Amino acid sequence: MHNDIVVPENEQIPIKQKIAYGVGGLGEFFIANIVLGLSVPIFAVGMNLDPFILGLVMAGTKVVSAFADPFVGVISDRSRYKWGRRKPFILVFGILAAVLLPFVWLVPDVSDNLKFVYIFIVLSVYFFFHSFYKVPYDALGYELTPNYDERTKVFAWKNYVGMIGVFSGSWFYWFTMRPVFGNEMNGAAVLGVIGGALIIIGAITVTRGTREIGERQKLSSKENKIPVMEALKSTFTNKSFLYIQGAILVVALATGVDATMGAYLHIHYTSLGDKDLASLIGGVGGTISTLSIFVALPLAVWISTRWGKREASMFGMGIMLISAMATPWLLNPVFPWLAIVLWVLNTFGSQCSNVIYGSMVADVCDEDELNMGKRREGSYAAASSFLFKFVQVFILIISGAMPALAGYVDTSIAPTMPQLETMKVLVYSTNIVGVSAAIYFLYFYPLTRKRCALIRKQLDERHAKLSHEPIHTEN
């Protein structure tokens, strides 16, 4: 346990800068989630497009942007603009994504096949812009401070500000359905204009309100550059990084493939087919779950400061494991409101872990600099995004097939109770396996506080030798 941790003044990030970084994250939230949250209601329901083909089209756009991610990271790491390595990309591509967002919903009145072609082309370009915003943005967060504990606080503030997006996201579809718009497609276009304005505000705020490494220390434009393939290989083979990604991805996969079954269970099992009851429980549960995040974040920071990041992230996964193991009793048609307990536990646990992961990757970047001699936050931000997008593609393909494993094939009728019971077993079984695997990965994560302090000391000595500046000593 570590008490009385003091962050050196030169490594502290002012609250205004943390909030500015969080506002940039809010912009990234709108870029991603306005489209992801409305694609099915607008394209499949509003336009009556085939949901299976839509899923394939959406997966295809993810593949396109995923392949862009690693190169975005390398380009950002190599950039030497006077405004920094990250900010020019965030500002330019934030504006481009904002301008394109309304046009995502202005699908021309042509055949369904041509509509799918339009959606694929526009969203491929849109998510390409998203990659050029998100990867440099994440990299900026990794490098804002070299301090072990201050990094966690930066990402906690990002999540605090991000709650605005979480709350507003619940009302996206409701907004598009207002009668004044005529139909939900027009409403989505108007929302795209509003969301675009907020994205631009986020891009401007983060570029003007933060200071990245290039503004604090001189980065030579003539330094030796690591070849692209060597940079990618070293990133994807870093064991510390892979332990973090393993924990993130197995949980995302386990919970993601259950999404379709979870919807059936919520409506037809716990609510016994009563959609009004299901929507009411969902609304109340979503609100309470979101509010629980304001408890989860400071608790995670507290545990991380006193025991370490590995312990804080494992604590969050432990809460999720309790939730998964309690599913047989809390998912109950006799007491349907108990489902809220599951959602709160899942949200609480996942947020405790998620706020730590970004801070852990920042520590990995220090370890990588010690080994490679270069700052490569962009490469690690890109690798994280690349891996997560491919898991999303896999989820899009697999989740729709999961109900069939429970024997539910004819979707024109409601699932039977035996089928729902089988779905329930599949849900908590995959969650238990996924969360247990995440705990396993985190247990072997090697960058403890002591190890990170040693790495930081070696880096400071190297920097002082190169710049002839006094060596910083951390308390």
Side-chain angles (χ1 to χ4, degrees):
M1 182 172 178
H2 304 271
N3 293 313
D4 302 322
I5 299 294
V6 178
V7 178
E9 185 175 349
N10 66 321
E11 296 179 359
Q12 294 178 13
I13 302 298
I15 293 295
K16 288 184 179 179
Q17 194 172 158
K18 292 174 182 172
I19 293 175
Y21 181 70
V23 173
L26 191 60
E28 193 274 324
F29 174 90
F30 287 126
I31 294 176
N33 288 283
I34 288 179
V35 171
L36 295 179
L38 291 178
S39 58
V40 172
I42 301 302
F43 295 140
V45 179
M47 298 183 185
N48 295 313
L49 295 177
D50 187 311
F52 176 74
I53 298 177
L54 177 63
L56 294 179
V57 168
M58 295 296 293
T61 63
K62 288 291 183 181
V63 172
V64 171
S65 63
F67 277 112
D69 286 341
F71 296 97
V72 176
V74 173
I75 292 169
S76 177
D77 284 337
R78 290 183 171 187
S79 298
R80 294 295 181 269
Y81 299 109
K82 67 179 181 180
W83 303 283
R85 299 189 293 173
R86 320 298 180 191
K87 292 182 179 181
F89 296 102
I90 295 171
L91 182 61
V92 171
F93 286 94
I95 293 173
L96 289 175
V99 171
L100 187 56
L101 180 55
F103 294 94
V104 170
W105 314 109
L106 298 177
V107 181
D109 187 14
V110 291
S111 68
D112 284 0
N113 288 338
L114 289 178
K115 287 180 180 178
F116 281 124
V117 171
Y118 176 91
I119 293 169
F120 178 79
I121 293 174
V122 173
L123 283 184
S124 292
V125 175
Y126 180 79
F127 285 126
F128 182 82
F129 292 163
H130 179 223
S131 292
F132 269 89
Y133 183 104
K134 176 176 172 54
V135 170
Y137 171 78
D138 288 345
L140 175 62
Y142 298 155
E143 67 183 20
L144 282 178
T145 175
N147 186 269
Y148 182 88
D149 295 298
E150 192 72 357
R151 284 170 169 166
T152 304
K153 295 176 183 178
V154 167
F155 285 96
W157 273 97
K158 174 192 172 184
N159 285 20
Y160 282 132
V161 179
M163 289 305 97
I164 298 173
V166 175
F167 275 115
S168 64
S170 302
W171 298 95
F172 286 165
Y173 187 55
W174 176 89
F175 179 87
T176 67
M177 293 296 292
R178 296 308 87 205
V180 67
F181 301 130
N183 58 52
E184 60 265 49
M185 285 72 77
N186 293 335
V190 174
L191 181 63
V193 173
I194 297 171
L198 295 173
I199 291 166
I200 292 173
I201 291 172
I204 293 174
T205 301
V206 70
T207 53
R208 291 181 60 86
T210 60
R211 297 186 66 209
E212 65 171 271
I213 190 172
E215 298 171 282
R216 298 193 304 270
Q217 63 187 60
K218 186 176 181 180
L219 295 174
S220 173
S221 60
K222 299 180 179 180
E223 65 183 4
N224 294 327
K225 296 177 180 179
I226 304 172
V228 173
M229 296 311 297
E230 181 182 343
L232 294 177
K233 179 181 178 182
S234 64
T235 302
F236 283 102
T237 56
N238 183 300
K239 290 185 178 180
S240 301
F241 176 71
L242 292 179
Y243 280 128
I244 300 171
Q245 293 304 308
I248 294 171
L249 298 179
V250 293
V251 171
L253 183 60
T255 56
V257 297
D258 291 340
T260 302
M261 292 191 298
Y264 285 124
L265 287 169
H266 177 52
I267 295 172
H268 296 289
Y269 185 72
T270 55
S271 301
L272 297 176
D274 187 339
K275 293 182 179 180
D276 289 335
L277 176 62
S279 64
L280 179 60
I281 294 175
V284 174
T287 301
I288 296 175
S289 297
T290 302
L291 291 174
S292 74
I293 297 173
F294 289 97
V295 179
L297 295 180
L299 179 60
V301 172
W302 185 84
I303 295 173
S304 173
T305 302
R306 281 152 182 80
W307 282 282
K309 297 176 185 178
R310 179 179 64 182
E311 290 72 17
S313 58
M314 289 179 67
F315 169 79
M317 287 296 100
I319 297 296
M320 290 191 70
L321 184 59
I322 291 172
S323 173
M325 296 176 68
T327 299
W329 296 276
L330 294 179
L331 211 58
N332 191 328
V334 179
F335 303 104
W337 289 89
L338 285 178
I340 294 177
V341 179
L342 280 179
W343 300 339
V344 170
L345 289 173
N346 269 320
T347 302
F348 188 93
S350 63
Q351 287 296 318
C352 281
S353 297
N354 290 344
V355 72
I356 301 298
Y357 291 144
S359 182
M360 293 168 82
V361 174
D363 296 333
V364 170
C365 292
D366 283 349
E367 180 191 44
D368 180 76
E369 182 188 2
L370 187 65
N371 295 329
M372 302 292 291
K374 311 293 178 187
R375 295 299 303 183
R376 299 194 308 121
E377 290 89 352
S379 296
Y380 283 96
S384 299
S385 180
F386 175 87
L387 292 171
F388 191 76
K389 284 177 181 176
F390 264 94
V391 167
Q392 285 183 315
V393 170
F394 190 75
I395 289 171
L396 285 169
I397 296 172
I398 297 299
S399 61
M402 289 296 286
L405 292 179
Y408 182 51
V409 179
D410 184 1
T411 56
S412 64
I413 60 174
T416 65
M417 191 56 68
Q419 290 169 342
L420 291 165
E421 289 285 357
T422 304
M423 289 185 197
K424 179 178 173 180
V425 172
L426 287 172
V427 165
Y428 70 73
S429 297
T430 54
N431 285 349
I432 289 173
V433 171
V435 175
S436 298
I439 293 173
Y440 172 85
F441 284 124
L442 292 170
Y443 179 80
F444 289 101
Y445 173 72
L447 297 185
T448 61
R449 176 186 291 273
K450 183 177 180 181
R451 172 62 181 157
C452 288
L454 178 60
I455 291 172
R456 192 71 247 162
K457 181 175 182 294
Q458 291 174 304
L459 288 176
D460 285 348
E461 289 173 348
R462 179 188 293 176
H463 295 161
K465 183 178 179 180
L466 293 173
S467 63
H468 305 290
E469 293 178 355
I471 298 175
H472 162 72
T473 302
E474 184 174 347
N475 292 337

